Amino acid sequence: MANSSDPSSCLSFTSSPHISNASINPNSSASDPPPTPELLTNLSSNLGRLLADSGGDYSDAEITVEGVPVAVHRCILASRSEFFAELFRRENGDSEKEGKPKYCMSDLLPFGHVGYEAFLVFLSFVYTAKVRDFPVEVSSCVHNVCGHEACRPAIEFALELMCASSVFGMPDLVSILQRQLIDFVVKALADDIIPILVVAFHCQLSQLIDQCIERVAHSDLDSISLEKTLPDEVVEKIKILRRNSQHCCDPNMPAVDPLREKRIRRIHKALDSDDVELMKLLLTESDVTLDEANALHYAAAYCDPKVVAEVLGLGLADVNLRDSRGYTVLHIAMMRKEPSIIILLLSNGARASEPTLEGESAVSICRRLTRPKDYHTKTERGQEANKDRICIDVLEREMQRNPMAGEASISSQITPNDLHMRLLKLENRVAFARLLFPAEAKLAMAISQADTTPEFAGISSLKGSSGNLMEVDLNETPTVQNKRLLSRLESLVKTVSMGRHYFPHCSEVLDKFLQVDLPDLCVLETGTTDEQKIKRRRFLELKEEVQKAFDKDKADKNLSGLSSSSSSLPPKKVGRKSKG
């Protein structure tokens, strides 16, 4: 609450019967009766209308949150929060000489994240002293059997509110949220305790920190993941608690081999440095294998997708191996929610239906981590699709369909003219896919490594330009040139195949576009006036078809009949390592 010694703090919201009239009216005597709960409720309601009233704008500042400007009233924020009182005294924001002062939320926070919806709830408490219901679209998940009592979105929304309350100095709301988070610690999965512990540490919430440390110390979370995500002093407390607990339970428990642990950590550090060659050298110098170091699990959790691809390319790791907690690499990738890694694993033999030891599938893991806002938000034409949604889509389609059939090999004896024509056709297809479905096309190209090969010729050649179709490098022999073009062709074929497999409806629209409409539509300005009008109208219709197909791709993945059966499958026998 605001400091009562500050003369600007004339507002006090409390239901305590000991409130003094002097806090409302400085001219009143101490013998005057305190304000009734009804008066305080009316005051709260009246101030709350400032947030909801769309008929007039009485605000005098803006705070931009996640790109959305939020109108605020400096007098109210300054009277309730010493942080804002000092901010408004110190500066007028980043606005021009005229107009409202403007601030950016990310510039105000020393740690953590506060989203748009969380800030609105925080503002509501500042204005009314009441905690309103959390918005379901950002405080629940899209898992079809979750009660949302302690799923990750519910936790993260409470943590966003805690960051705002702690940084902006609202101790009453901090106290309310700390009680809720302590309840989450009891109910949540061990992995979901980590973000709570991080925020509790930054906010110096000793009671919540102790509760989290106790829970984590008795969980199966490994030391490596704790060291990657938690402050050193917190990790040390957890380790001490674990050592004491293990000694009491089993004093004869064998000690961990420090030399072997050191070798594993060196392999992980090589992965952190994106140095796969160093990792290979470390493997040859020790008796630790990739699987024993859980190197693929580690790369999927913390490394760049290109590093994951390189580790998979060695052919030395079992893509369906379970770690000490019973998680496969795909389970770990779904917790990270990185689509390119997920597709990489699937294309290298990862089993999408493989359950955890608790019977949870990879897609159910991702659903438990995804907010309805992110899952149901409509993607406008040409916009990047939400990563969470893509992860779920890819896994659900993989569970419903047969594995993708292998592509026929491309003959190195293909004639130059045929090679040029095939390249031109594929380049155009991929170019239009990148234009209409940027996120999906980017994923398919990255997995197929098409972005690492030089482009051949694209849409430009359709407009009469030869592009680089017949360009000749005098220093390049025909054999080298053919090898380069074949490499590009193979990458594009794989890109198109990925698109057909994971986004079939959009691929159908692209087929129709390239076969029927493209020859006419790419020259919209030719022909008579009526013909041009027809072409433009057809182009707009086609754009609508593309959007409908994209929406159909998103909607055509109902796993209501799959979820129960797939989650009840017994753990499968771990497959053998693939050999290079």
Side-chain angles (χ1 to χ4, degrees), residues 118 121-122 134 156-166 173 177:
V121 173
F122 170 79
F134 294 174
E156 290 180 341
F157 188 82
L159 292 177
E160 290 180 19
L161 266 180
M162 178 62 83
C163 285
S165 306
S166 177
L173 188 52
L177 293 169

Side-chain angles (χ1 to χ4, degrees), residues 407-412 419 423 426 448 450 483-496:
E407 285 293 324
S409 60
I410 300 173
S411 172
S412 59
L419 178 58
L423 273 171
L426 289 170
S448 308
K483 184 177 180 180
R484 172 174 59 82
L485 297 181
L486 283 171
S487 175
R488 178 65 175 176
L489 181 61
E490 289 175 353
S491 297
L492 292 177
V493 167
K494 190 174 181 181
T495 299
V496 173

Side-chain angles (χ1 to χ4, degrees), residues 521-568:
L521 293 178
C522 61
V523 281
L524 293 175
E525 303 304 322
T526 62
T528 64
T529 303
D530 291 339
E531 288 174 343
Q532 291 180 28
K533 288 180 180 179
I534 293 173
K535 289 177 183 179
R536 290 194 185 96
R537 185 169 63 249
R538 176 57 191 141
F539 187 75
L540 293 175
E541 291 173 355
L542 182 68
K543 289 171 69 177
E544 291 296 327
E545 289 182 24
V546 168
Q547 184 61 50
K548 290 178 182 178
F550 181 63
D551 293 340
K552 188 177 180 183
D553 264 343
K554 294 195 296 182
D556 188 25
K557 304 172 188 73
N558 183 3
L559 279 189
S560 58
L562 260 175
S563 56
S564 59
S565 59
S566 62
S567 62
S568 62

Side-chain angles (χ1 to χ4, degrees), residues 111 135 144 427 524:
F111 65 88
N144 54 0
E427 289 283 8
L524 293 175

Side-chain angles (χ1 to χ4, degrees), residues 283-401:
L283 290 172
T284 60
E285 293 178 347
S286 70
D287 58 353
V288 178
T289 67
L290 275 181
D291 285 348
E292 289 170 341
N294 284 322
L296 197 51
H297 286 80
Y298 186 89
Y302 306 114
C303 298
D304 188 271
K306 291 184 178 179
V307 175
V308 178
E310 290 184 53
V311 175
L312 284 168
L314 297 176
L316 300 175
D318 179 3
V319 74
N320 290 299
L321 177 73
R322 291 180 181 272
D323 63 11
S324 60
R325 303 180 64 201
Y327 290 147
T328 67
V329 185
L330 187 59
H331 295 148
I332 299 297
M334 291 307 292
M335 294 177 189
R336 181 176 172 180
K337 296 190 292 187
E338 177 53 57
S340 58
I341 294 179
I342 291 167
I343 296 179
L344 264 173
L345 295 172
L346 292 174
S347 61
N348 279 272
R351 293 189 288 269
S353 59
E354 193 80 10
T356 65
L357 298 181
E358 292 78 26
E360 192 172 16
S361 68
V363 71
S364 67
I365 290 174
C366 195
R367 279 187 168 274
R368 184 175 52 80
L369 299 173
T370 301
R371 308 180 303 177
K373 176 184 177 181
D374 300 323
Y375 185 75
H376 296 297
T377 298
K378 184 177 181 181
T379 304
E380 298 297 330
R381 299 185 189 94
Q383 282 187 348
E384 293 279 338
N386 182 270
K387 279 189 173 183
D388 297 13
R389 175 75 198 225
I390 292 178
C391 291
I392 295 174
D393 289 352
V394 166
L395 259 294
E396 290 185 345
R397 177 159 284 114
E398 185 70 16
M399 292 175 71
Q400 292 181 57
R401 295 182 52 170

